[in-house]
Amino acid sequence: MSEPGDAGVERAVEPIVDRVLPDNDVLHDLLEQFDDVGWEVSRGQDLVHVPNHGWLDFARAAHDAGFEMCVDVTVVDWMRSRPERFEIVANLLSMQHKLRLRMTTTAPREQPTVASLVPIWPGVNFAEREAYDMFGVTFEGHPDLTRILMPDEWEGHPLRKDFGVGSVPVQFKESHQVN
Amino acid sequence: MSDDTKSVETMDVWVAGTEEPQFSPTDEGAQEISDHESDARLDEQFGRVVEDDYVFDDSVGDEDERMILNMGPQHPSTHGVLRLQIELEGEIIRRTKPIIGYLHTGMEKTAEQLTFSQGGTNVTRMDYLAPFHNELAHALAVERLLEIEVPPRAAAIRVLLTELNRCSSHLVALATNGMDIGAVSMMIYGFREREQILAFFEKTTGLRMNHNFIRPGGVAADLPPGWKDDVAEILDELPKRLDQYDDLLQDNPIWGSRTRGVGVISAEEAIAYGITGPPLRAAGVDWDLRKAFPYSGIEQYEFEVPLGEHGDVYDRYRIRVDEIIQSLRIAEQVMDSMPKGDYRVDDRKVTPPPRARIDESMEALIHHFKLFTEGFKVPPGETYVAVESPRGELGCYLVSDGKARPYRMHTRAPSFANLQALPIAMADSLMADTVATIASMDPVMGDVDR
Amino acid sequence: MATTAPGNLLMTTVDRAARWARTRSMFPATFGLACCAIEMMATGAAHYDLARFGMEVFRASPRQADLMIVAGRVSQKMAPVLRQVYDQMPDPKWVISMGACASTGGMFNNYALVQGVDQVVPVDIYVPGCPPGPQSLMHGILTLHDKIMSGEIVN
């Protein structure tokens, strides 16, 4: 439950009706704190849907609830099949409770942005840079959001569905003549 | 002509301090001793005082003194195409920035073009030292989406192959680790042992590396006849060879001083940075996916998880040697208890029919045709499955939209996360320890860059 | 040098001697990139010994190497580095493109790889395989030796 006094930002919390809560104590307590986070079980794995503005808060609460490690952050590009184009997925791991949790959120087609999880788990630094490089999703609050896998001057975001599949001619510039 | 004589003249007469030198002397120890030298300078020049300039003195430190050194991407000791930008203050490393992407192959994009059973060929080339683990993660993810279970024999074959793969991968890690630190014979030892294991792989799967053997539904073929003898031979020989490594390295004072206390990563740092595998266990955290979230029937076998204490290079090396021994233990148990049965699941929609049936049954022919041209369709959904590879948690996040090809396949690469710890492990350490630290983190750039 | 001088009996013998010397201790430059690099290391290790051809010293500095074995997939980011290392090697130099990815881009026909390292450097021998086993690589190296000895490859 987010208080209206939260950094002066008034966010419209849309509680989910008829929400089912998990049996697991840790997850139950975690999800009780948030009204607008949905939970489901997908192929035997716990999955929570978090609204974009609540990404960082939920992550912080999950970290405090015992999810010490964020294993991965990645993006799925749904193109036109979903109302919001990009789905950002973070996989969490709790070693003390032996639990895994997957949290997802969405970002729109134009200027997709989501909060960066680096302040909570420094280990997602590279993963978020890769997501930015491959999809163009901006992670707000990331200390160094630059291309990581492609050359710095590369144009386009390769893993988007509208980026071509075929090979691209060699892009390198002349090497420095050393002799 | 006249110039020559002049130069000859000046070269003839060179008494220290009396002539005007034709060039300005550099201050890196000018060779002449002037007669108005201070006593301190004289002492220095006569060698009575020795300045240890690699012992860092706070009073000397200055922002301008930092130098940025570029290591790689083509470098014999960076384990592939890793580029490090190291900011040095003398010999002490202040900051490091790993720059990756030199091996980026676009495998995740290629995965969207391949069917689910072809996906193994793609995924296996990511962490090319542990190809079976990549294939296993992918196959388990596909099977989770299909909601099928592989028969026990297939699961046991998978365990056997992945544990032997762990041995061969750790042997490469030890070999390169040793060679980088200077024990060059480790390179030969490690690869010599590996050849035995690779010969077994070649007999079973057809290839020495990048096998595409563990496929969704089971494994591609049954174990060859006589496999028990081959595995027994490996189980016989390898422990004796490991004793040879211990003779070379264990009590070696050079090895000890180059690895103990070097490249330390504490448990809190490791957990915060998402590090898994030997670097995490070296810090003392008891976390192994084979014990925590067992897969492929590995819970039936008894084995231990070696742990370290200090989180330094020595602990990681020790853990790798111990893990080889534990993996051999598992392989022995698998060998003794290999269940009989099918090596792949019986579902006609997923596994191709045996080749002999194709001549007899029209249905088998059609199944075979559809499976190899179009591929089997996987119901929509998404899943994340992780296995314990020799480098850490290797996960496959698979999204399917109901077609024969994955909608999105993402691999959580252990080396990708472990590499973020390099700046932490190398901070405030000496330049010469860089190589030892990188070698102990054991990054495989195919995994990092995909 | 001897190869460019007009041929007569004496020069031919010197020429042959030069070619013999070049093949007998060709130093490879370390350019192992991916899976093929592991097979290249295995070729240099004890089981399939490259030292019997005088080639076990993999020189880290391209200035001291004559042979560049491009072992592995070359990405867009790596292509200028590859060219720079090639340029730094002194003449005579040879390039072996090891593996399917180096020869043609391999199974990765996408945006990220250079489809064949011969778009960046001139290649003398292509060794197919994914990865080529040590025997294939040695066959490729020995073929290169034969070609140099016979004078086909003059460089």
Side-chain angles (χ1 to χ4, degrees):
Chain A
M1 284 199 306
S2 56
E3 301 78 27
D6 244 336
V9 171
E10 303 257 349
R11 293 192 307 260
V13 173
E14 295 154 9
I16 300 177
V17 293
D18 289 336
R19 198 167 67 143
V20 180
L21 286 183
D23 290 331
N24 181 294
D25 285 335
V26 175
L27 292 176
H28 191 101
D29 295 336
L30 175 61
L31 284 166
E32 263 189 336
Q33 305 170 34
F34 297 89
D35 278 338
D36 46 359
V37 169
W39 168 79
E40 66 167 307
V41 175
S42 156
R43 297 295 199 288
Q45 295 179 335
D46 293 298
L47 179 60
V48 290
H49 301 283
V50 184
N52 193 316
H53 54 255
W55 185 244
L56 196 58
D57 289 331
F58 186 85
R60 195 165 285 128
H63 176 80
D64 297 334
F67 287 94
E68 318 98 339
M69 199 186 277
C70 177
V71 165
D72 197 22
V73 172
T74 186
V75 176
V76 184
D77 177 4
W78 286 105
M79 259 326 238
R80 274 168 258 280
S81 34
R82 292 206 183 165
E84 300 256 292
R85 179 175 178 182
F86 294 104
E87 182 185 5
I88 296 107
V89 178
N91 282 297
L92 306 180
L93 171 66
S94 170
M95 299 201 276
Q96 45 184 296
H97 304 296
K98 290 218 171 101
L99 276 182
R100 284 198 193 269
L101 181 66
R102 188 148 64 243
M103 38 191 276
T104 76
T105 188
T106 55
R109 168 180 302 269
E110 311 302 331
Q111 297 193 323
T113 319
V114 77
S116 163
L117 296 180
V118 173
I120 307 173
W121 296 288
V124 301
N125 192 321
F126 274 20
E128 289 185 347
R129 277 179 71 187
E130 183 192 339
Y132 163 71
D133 192 1
M134 295 284 118
F135 287 94
V137 174
T138 311
F139 290 85
E140 265 171 3
H142 192 282
D144 175 29
L145 198 65
T146 52
R147 286 194 182 266
I148 188 172
L149 294 178
M150 303 307 296
D152 290 326
E153 321 79 44
W154 192 266
E155 281 171 24
H157 297 282
L159 275 175
R160 287 191 176 189
K161 291 289 178 185
D162 45 7
F163 191 93
V165 176
S167 59
V168 175
V170 183
Q171 301 264 314
F172 79 103
K173 277 62 65 186
E174 278 297 320
S175 68
H176 307 293
Q177 287 301 315
V178 281
N179 290 99
Chain B
M1 215 35 182
S2 54
D3 283 342
D4 284 338
T5 48
K6 210 196 282 187
S7 64
V8 164
E9 277 173 19
T10 47
M11 274 202 310
D12 256 355
V13 187
W14 190 324
V15 175
T18 56
E19 82 296 343
E20 297 296 316
Q22 287 165 323
F23 45 85
S24 58
T26 64
D27 51 23
E28 294 165 11
Q31 295 305 304
E32 71 277 5
I33 302 173
S34 75
D35 52 358
H36 50 270
E37 225 33 305
S38 69
D39 279 323
R41 272 293 275 164
L42 273 175
D43 278 337
E44 227 181 290
Q45 291 187 341
F46 280 127
R48 292 188 213 120
V49 164
V50 176
E51 286 263 10
D52 272 355
D53 40 67
Y54 60 81
V55 172
F56 185 66
D57 188 9
D58 261 284
S59 55
V60 178
D62 193 12
E63 277 297 324
D64 307 313
E65 302 267 333
R66 293 195 181 185
M67 175 178 83
I68 295 190
L69 182 73
N70 180 58
M71 207 170 137
Q74 191 254 356
H75 188 104
S77 302
T78 53
H79 288 259
V81 284
L82 169 67
R83 180 171 165 209
L84 287 177
Q85 275 195 322
I86 307 176
E87 200 172 298
L88 288 168
E89 208 164 337
E91 276 283 312
I92 311 245
I93 297 175
R94 289 291 169 218
R95 287 195 301 180
T96 316
K97 182 173 174 179
I99 299 174
I100 59 179
Y102 288 94
L103 200 57
H104 179 62
T105 320
M107 283 171 161
E108 300 186 352
K109 189 89 178 176
T110 304
E112 295 168 12
Q113 316 303 317
L114 299 173
T115 66
F116 285 98
S117 45
Q118 289 173 322
T121 59
N122 185 22
V123 182
T124 194
R125 288 165 170 81
M126 287 186 186
D127 179 355
Y128 40 80
L129 284 177
F132 283 119
H133 295 266
N134 294 13
E135 293 168 20
L136 183 60
H138 175 80
L140 287 175
V142 176
E143 284 155 18
R144 182 80 73 92
L145 284 179
L146 286 171
E147 290 171 345
I148 60 176
E149 285 279 325
V150 293
R153 187 178 172 91
I157 295 178
R158 285 177 173 183
V159 169
L160 175 68
L161 291 173
T162 49
E163 289 308 315
L164 285 177
N165 203 180
R166 193 184 307 277
C167 293
S168 70
S169 168
H170 280 325
L171 284 168
V172 175
L174 291 172
T176 48
N177 207 344
M179 183 172 81
D180 286 343
I181 294 185
V184 182
S185 31
M186 272 307 292
M187 185 77 174
I188 304 295
Y189 287 167
F191 275 87
R192 176 187 65 185
E193 268 60 271
R194 204 176 119 86
E195 288 298 326
Q196 244 188 330
I197 301 180
L198 289 187
F200 175 65
F201 286 162
E202 196 173 11
K203 209 174 190 183
T204 312
T205 71
L207 279 176
R208 288 158 53 99
M209 280 172 68
N210 300 341
H211 319 266
N212 187 26
F213 189 70
I214 298 182
R215 302 187 186 179
V219 289
D222 209 344
L223 290 171
W227 64 273
K228 271 202 183 172
D229 299 327
D230 292 322
V231 177
E233 211 182 304
I234 295 175
L235 291 172
D236 247 345
E237 285 290 322
L238 208 42
K240 292 188 219 153
R241 303 290 170 84
L242 288 177
D243 288 335
Q244 269 185 0
Y245 302 171
D246 282 348
D247 281 341
L248 179 63
L249 298 174
Q250 179 69 13
D251 299 316
N252 192 327
I254 303 178
W255 182 260
S257 59
R258 278 214 68 175
T259 56
R260 288 186 201 267
V262 167
V264 177
I265 300 178
S266 70
E268 295 81 35
E269 286 167 352
I271 295 177
Y273 276 85
I275 296 171
T276 51
L280 179 66
R281 293 196 280 275
V285 179
D286 187 4
W287 181 253
D288 188 326
L289 285 178
R290 295 175 291 170
K291 295 278 192 193
F293 298 113
Y295 50 87
S296 194
I298 206 164
E299 62 271 11
Q300 319 161 25
Y301 308 109
E302 247 185 65
F303 65 99
E304 279 161 24
V305 175
L307 288 179
E309 263 175 56
H310 310 282
D312 56 9
V313 172
Y314 181 81
D315 278 344
R316 286 176 221 136
Y317 138 77
R318 200 64 235 161
I319 284 181
R320 291 202 171 97
V321 175
D322 290 334
E323 277 191 5
I324 296 180
I325 299 175
Q326 294 303 316
S327 289
L328 290 177
R329 204 169 143 194
I330 301 177
E332 188 170 9
Q333 292 170 57
V334 174
M335 183 178 80
D336 291 332
S337 71
M338 174 69 75
K340 296 201 194 310
D342 241 345
Y343 57 90
R344 50 193 184 179
V345 84
D346 219 357
D347 189 345
R348 284 282 160 257
K349 300 286 177 221
V350 171
T351 48
R355 302 285 304 195
R357 288 278 298 150
I358 293 178
D359 298 331
E360 300 164 9
S361 148
M362 191 59 181
E363 207 182 85
L365 181 63
I366 295 175
H367 271 133
H368 176 100
F369 179 73
K370 290 223 72 132
L371 280 173
F372 281 100
T373 52
E374 190 189 18
F376 53 84
K377 293 195 178 34
V378 169
E382 36 125 68
T383 184
Y384 174 77
V385 173
V387 302
E388 180 79 18
S389 90
R391 272 151 210 92
E393 170 165 339
L394 175 65
C396 184
Y397 176 67
L398 197 59
V399 178
S400 161
D401 60 346
K403 303 229 180 53
R405 296 177 159 73
Y407 189 80
R408 167 97 172 102
M409 200 234 19
H410 173 75
T411 304
R412 190 267 179 194
S415 308
F416 191 61
N418 288 4
L419 218 54
Q420 292 178 91
L422 262 188
I424 309 291
M426 282 165 51
D428 292 337
S429 75
L430 295 173
M431 182 66 208
D433 293 330
T434 311
V435 170
T437 312
I438 301 176
S440 76
M441 297 300 289
D442 198 14
V444 169
M445 297 317 285
D447 210 17
V448 174
D449 291 337
R450 275 159 283 128
Chain C
M1 222 233 107
T3 51
T4 51
N8 55 39
L9 184 62
L10 184 60
M11 289 312 281
T12 327
T13 316
V14 172
D15 197 14
R16 270 187 32 212
R19 278 188 257 138
W20 177 87
R22 280 173 186 170
T23 59
R24 287 303 179 263
S25 80
M26 217 183 253
F27 287 169
T30 58
F31 214 81
L33 298 167
C35 350
C36 284
I38 311 295
E39 289 295 52
M40 187 168 71
M41 287 199 267
T43 316
H47 217 81
Y48 304 93
D49 195 11
L50 265 188
R52 41 193 167 140
F53 307 115
M55 289 175 65
E56 86 281 10
V57 238
F58 278 78
R59 306 309 298 172
S61 160
R63 298 273 188 208
Q64 299 169 355
D66 342 63
L67 173 67
M68 182 162 81
I69 305 182
V70 183
R73 39 199 196 241
V74 180
S75 72
Q76 300 278 359
K77 216 164 163 179
M78 195 64 188
V81 179
L82 172 68
R83 182 76 213 186
Q84 197 164 5
V85 170
Y86 178 75
D87 287 338
Q88 284 179 329
M89 286 166 62
D91 272 333
K93 53 191 174 188
W94 300 276
V95 176
I96 291 184
S97 152
M98 176 182 176
C101 294
S103 308
T104 64
M107 62 177 277
F108 303 111
N109 185 12
N110 57 24
Y111 63 89
L113 286 193
V114 174
Q115 300 292 306
V117 93
D118 49 9
Q119 297 193 18
V120 179
V121 294
V123 174
D124 296 302
I125 302 269
Y126 298 86
V127 181
C130 194
Q135 291 136 337
S136 307
L137 179 61
M138 283 207 296
H139 179 69
I141 291 175
L142 292 176
T143 311
L144 179 67
H145 285 184
D146 288 340
K147 285 191 182 251
I148 298 173
M149 280 300 292
S150 71
E152 259 182 75
I153 296 183
V154 172
N155 181 12

